[in-house]
């Protein structure tokens, strides 16, 4: 089955930026929709952004205008550019497919993002 490896997290000050990467084992050719999720302490995992194979994107209202999701099918990698970061964005970020998709059952370790001064 598929493996997902997230990277790029770290500690940043409010207003700073980070770019997260998600390496997907095998080919993403058959994965129509990839997405980023996050889970903050004491809260449920939530959908942050998604991208279709054709490039169409969708964002949670809370991050719209500040986050950008992209994918490189040739490199089997999904990215999340995060700008103007706020402390509320502190969470573990995960990539995955979407419910009903072929890889949704498998989750990686995620990457920790901490926004603090």
């Amino acid at each position: 089955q598929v493996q997902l490896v997230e990277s790029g997290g770290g500690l940043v000050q409010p207003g700073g930026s980070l770019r997260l990467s998600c390496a997907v084992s095998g080919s993403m050719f058959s994965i129509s929709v990839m997405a980023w999720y996050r889970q903050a302490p004491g809260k449920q995992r939530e959908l942050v952004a998604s991208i279709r194979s054709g490039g169409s994107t969708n964002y949670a209202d809370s991050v719209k205008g500040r986050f950008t999701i992209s994918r490189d099918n040739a490199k089997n990698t999904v990215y999340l550019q995060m700008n103007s970061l706020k402390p509320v964005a502190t969470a573990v970020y995960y990539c995955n497919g979407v419910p009903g998709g072929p890889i949704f059952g498998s989750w990686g370790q995620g990457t920790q993002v901490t926004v603090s001064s």
Side-chain angles (χ1 to χ4, degrees):
Q1 60 268 24
V2 69
Q3 293 186 84
L4 302 163
V5 182
E6 300 91 345
S7 62
L11 174 64
V12 297
Q13 292 184 267
S17 298
L18 282 175
R19 187 178 72 170
L20 308 183
S21 297
C22 171
V24 183
S25 65
S27 177
M28 293 198 304
F29 182 78
S30 64
I31 308 175
S32 297
V33 185
M34 288 294 296
W36 282 95
Y37 305 80
R38 67 185 178 190
Q39 186 169 30
K43 304 191 71 174
Q44 296 188 72
R45 184 178 287 128
E46 64 175 342
L47 178 65
V48 175
S50 62
I51 183 168
R52 282 176 269 279
S53 58
S56 298
T57 58
N58 192 47
Y59 299 92
D61 289 339
S62 60
V63 307
K64 193 171 297 182
R66 299 183 298 109
F67 288 17
T68 303
I69 187 172
S70 61
R71 63 190 288 172
D72 187 333
N73 291 325
K75 295 182 178 180
N76 294 319
T77 303
V78 186
Y79 305 95
L80 184 68
Q81 176 67 228
M82 305 184 295
N83 298 326
S84 301
L85 283 163
K86 304 174 181 179
V88 72
T90 296
V92 178
Y93 285 71
Y94 303 87
C95 66
N96 214 317
V98 293
I103 67 168
F104 191 67
S106 62
W107 294 88
Q109 296 300 304
T111 185
Q112 176 72 51
V113 172
T114 302
V115 185
S116 176
S117 59

